[in-house]
Amino acid sequence: MIREMTKRDLDKAGNLYKDANKFTNKKNILNWTEKDLDNFPRYHLVFEERHRILGAISGIILKKKVVSIEDIAIHKSYRGKRIGSELIRYLINRFKKDGVKRVKLWVHWTDARAIPFYYKHSFRIIRFQRTKNIKGVPDGEDILILERRLSQ
Ligand SMILES: CC(C)(COP(=O)(O)OP(=O)(O)OC[C@H]1O[C@@H](n2cnc3c(N)ncnc32)[C@H](O)[C@@H]1OP(=O)(O)O)[C@@H](O)C(=O)NCCC(=O)NCCS
C-alpha cells in the first residue's frame, strides 16, 4: 500500500535513502528529508506492507510547474518487484494533477544502475554536471541530470 510519509517514518526512510546517497551520511539525509517533508508532505510517499516500510520516494517543488524527485529507494531484498515503479507512477500522477510540467532529478555516479529504471519511466538524460554548493553533498561529484516533461 502507498501512503503519505509521516515524521514517524523518517528514520526508516533515512535508512533506505542511504542506498541512494552513498556520498553522504544518514544525518545529512535526514536533515534534508525532514525539511522537505515539512514543506511538501503530499510529495513524500512510502510503500508499506504488513507494517514494514519497503520503499520511499520524496519530491519537492523547484519553481512554478517544475519539481524534483530528491530520493527514491527500495529495500534491498524487494528490488526488481515493481515497488519503485508503483511509487514513481503514484507521485507523477500527483504532479500531473497539480499541473506540473517538468520533473527533474539527478543521479550520482554510484547510482548509475538506476538509469534504466528512469528511462522506463520516460526520463531522459539532459546533461552532465559536477556537484557544487548542494547542502549535505560534497562538491566535485559527477552527476547526471535527468528530466521528464509531463503532458496533462
Ligand atoms: C532504482 C530503484 C528505486 C528501482 O526500484 P525497483 O522497485 O527495484 O524497480 P522496479 O522493480 O519497479 O523496476 C525494475 C527496474 O529497475 C532497474 N533497477 C535498477 N537497479 C535495480 C536493482 N538494484 N534491482 C532491480 N532492478 C533495478 C532495472 O532497470 C529494472 O528493470 P528490469 O527488471 O527490466 O531489469 C531500486 O532498485 C533502488 O532502490 N535502488 C537503490 C537506490 C537507488 O539507486 N535509488 C536511485 C538513486 S538516483
Side-chain angles (χ1 to χ4, degrees):
M1 153 188 131
I2 293 176
R3 63 166 172 80
E4 284 181 12
M5 191 186 285
T6 69
K7 293 230 172 188
R8 278 206 261 164
D9 302 317
L10 273 172
D11 188 63
K12 284 185 181 122
N15 286 339
L16 293 173
Y17 287 166
K18 275 197 294 185
D19 283 352
N21 298 281
K22 297 180 195 88
F23 46 84
T24 190
N25 56 34
K26 188 174 166 187
K27 187 169 171 270
N28 283 332
I29 295 168
L30 284 178
N31 279 345
W32 76 61
T33 308
E34 184 165 16
K35 186 168 99 338
D36 292 344
L37 176 63
D38 278 341
N39 290 329
F40 308 103
R42 292 185 65 251
Y43 296 159
H44 283 66
L45 306 169
V46 294
F47 186 99
E48 187 178 49
E49 201 177 78
R50 291 191 209 103
H51 306 294
R52 282 189 73 198
I53 306 291
L54 304 184
I57 190 165
S58 295
I60 62 167
I61 297 172
L62 294 175
K63 57 184 180 185
K64 200 164 184 272
K65 297 187 178 183
V66 184
V67 297
S68 163
I69 295 177
E70 294 291 273
D71 282 302
I72 176 170
I74 308 304
H75 189 292
K76 259 198 184 75
S77 321
Y78 294 87
R79 288 181 197 157
K81 295 177 188 293
R82 306 282 167 251
I83 296 175
S85 292
E86 282 190 41
L87 278 169
I88 203 166
R89 264 192 222 114
Y90 195 104
L91 184 60
I92 285 172
N93 280 336
R94 277 206 167 173
F95 290 154
K96 284 183 178 172
K97 277 186 202 136
D98 295 349
V100 169
K101 296 282 183 213
R102 278 197 293 151
V103 187
K104 300 182 84 168
L105 57 87
W106 55 266
V107 180
H108 186 258
W109 61 271
T110 51
D111 294 323
R113 278 215 296 179
I115 289 175
F117 168 79
Y118 291 123
Y119 264 69
K120 278 176 201 146
H121 291 281
S122 305
F123 286 82
R124 295 292 177 263
I125 296 170
I126 55 165
R127 66 175 183 275
F128 162 81
Q129 210 170 292
R130 289 222 163 83
T131 54
K132 198 169 178 6
N133 298 330
I134 306 177
K135 205 162 187 284
V137 181
D139 283 352
E141 296 281 327
D142 292 349
I143 57 173
L144 288 167
I145 313 294
L146 278 74
E147 183 181 280
R148 175 174 163 181
R149 286 177 182 272
L150 301 182
S151 48
Q152 262 62 44

